[in-house]
Amino acid sequence: MLKAVISSPFATQSGYGHHAREFITNIIERKGTEWDIKLLSMPWGHTPFTYPVPNEWRQRIVPLPLTEQPDIWVQITVPNEFQPVGKVNIGVTAGTEGDVCPAEWIDKINQMQITVVPSNFTKQVFINTAKQHNKQITTNILVVSECFDD
């Protein structure tokens, strides 16, 4: 069984917390029988840790420092916080709301094997920023659209 750790602000009342909870729910539903999924509850600015975390998730929480390298490391945050911790590293980010991002973000997304973004716009911002700073994007950027389906 693959060991996976998802680092995110899932216990916070924040937009990234909400995004993390959706991501975690889907991963547990899809990979919960194949992966041993553990959770790291990380801060999001000064947002309180007041989201009512389900008991099943509480049992998955692991403390820092990690005692072994996970097979899969998923980090849900802004790119400047990405760190390659696992054997395979996946960054999940909303990216930016503008048409440029800090050039350093390209270096950080390149530390991950996969970077997941919510829109083609965000992916294009990374591509354009890389070009503007003569940087290459070496990570695979996947667009996983978020939508409302009534």
Side-chain angles (χ1 to χ4, degrees):
M1 182 172 277
L2 293 173
K3 294 182 183 204
V5 175
I6 302 172
S7 172
S8 71
F10 70 87
T12 68
Q13 296 279 11
S14 66
Y16 261 91
H18 177 77
H19 184 72
R21 289 186 293 275
E22 288 182 334
F23 185 92
I24 291 166
T25 298
N26 283 304
I27 288 294
I28 290 171
E29 286 175 3
R30 288 176 167 72
K31 296 292 185 180
T33 59
E34 300 170 42
W35 296 0
D36 178 17
I37 301 169
K38 301 297 183 190
L39 305 174
L40 275 175
S41 180
M42 302 302 289
W44 189 255
H46 298 291
T47 308
F49 289 84
T50 56
Y51 186 81
V53 176
N55 285 333
E56 191 267 326
W57 285 22
R58 289 187 187 281
Q59 297 169 8
R60 295 177 183 271
I61 296 174
V62 294
L64 287 174
L66 296 177
T67 56
E68 63 182 281
Q69 183 183 36
D71 295 306
I72 302 164
W73 170 256
V74 179
Q75 195 168 9
I76 304 172
T77 190
V78 288
N80 58 293
E81 295 181 0
F82 286 169
Q83 298 175 41
V85 173
K87 295 173 186 167
V88 173
N89 299 285
I90 302 169
V92 179
T93 186
T96 179
E97 295 173 0
D99 60 358
V100 296
C101 70
E104 299 78 32
W105 284 16
I106 304 306
D107 300 325
K108 297 301 273 185
I109 68 170
N110 281 337
Q111 290 181 341
M112 312 308 262
Q113 282 77 33
I114 300 169
T115 300
V116 178
V117 297
S119 67
N120 285 313
F121 174 82
T122 300
K123 179 178 180 176
Q124 195 60 51
V125 168
F126 289 157
I127 292 168
N128 293 345
T129 299
K131 285 180 186 174
Q132 290 172 355
H133 295 278
N134 296 316
K135 294 179 181 259
Q136 292 287 340
I137 292 179
T138 59
T139 187
N140 184 13
I141 301 176
L142 299 177
V143 176
V144 178
S145 297
E146 298 176 28
C147 64
F148 175 76
D149 184 2
D150 64 350

